[in-house]
Amino acid sequence: QVQLVESGGGLVQAGGSLRLSCAASTRAFSGYDMGWFRQAPGKEREFVATIHRSGGRTLYADSVKGRFTISRDNAKNAVFLQMNNLKPEDTAAYYCAAGLSVYSNYAGSYDYWGQGTQVTVSS
């Protein structure tokens, strides 16, 4: 069982930045591929970014490419999402996810999910 706890969300003006963190409770963190997803009210959960367990490969949704950066620190059992140049359409609850050998943009591939952290971008 892996517990994931997100933090770092908040209210920011358009053009601003936030850095989300996700702390994992497993000693085997380096074996998990990690992803970030988001869900806005009335919409389905959508893929944001994923990072390979090695940290050497990343994948982004087109909507965030060039603005968001996913990274991880396997020594600290944590994954991060640096979000720059935020837009009102980035407003959503952001979820961290973990899975073994997934490295996928498909939410169903991931085994463990955090509770989410809210990001609100005002115009």
Side-chain angles (χ1 to χ4, degrees):
Q1 189 75 10
V2 179
Q3 291 187 331
L4 302 172
V5 179
E6 302 96 335
S7 61
L11 173 64
V12 64
Q13 289 188 332
S17 299
L18 283 174
R19 186 182 191 230
L20 304 184
S21 299
C22 173
S25 66
T26 175
R27 293 179 180 178
F29 178 75
S30 61
Y32 285 86
D33 297 324
M34 302 297 296
W36 285 98
F37 292 77
R38 66 186 182 187
Q39 187 167 18
K43 295 188 177 181
E44 294 187 353
R45 190 167 296 191
E46 66 172 358
F47 168 74
V48 176
T50 184
I51 186 165
H52 189 266
R53 52 196 174 277
S54 69
R57 284 189 286 165
T58 58
L59 183 66
Y60 296 92
D62 288 343
S63 59
V64 307
K65 202 173 294 183
R67 299 187 298 123
F68 290 10
T69 303
I70 188 171
S71 62
R72 66 188 295 158
D73 185 338
N74 286 346
K76 296 183 177 180
N77 291 357
V79 63
F80 309 98
L81 186 68
Q82 178 66 44
M83 306 186 294
N84 297 330
N85 190 21
L86 283 160
K87 304 176 181 181
E89 51 263 43
D90 294 319
T91 295
Y94 282 71
Y95 298 88
C96 172
L100 289 172
S101 300
V102 294
Y103 188 62
S104 170
N105 59 359
Y106 175 53
S109 298
Y110 292 83
D111 301 306
Y112 303 102
W113 292 83
Q115 293 299 306
T117 185
Q118 179 67 35
V119 171
T120 303
V121 185
S122 63
S123 57

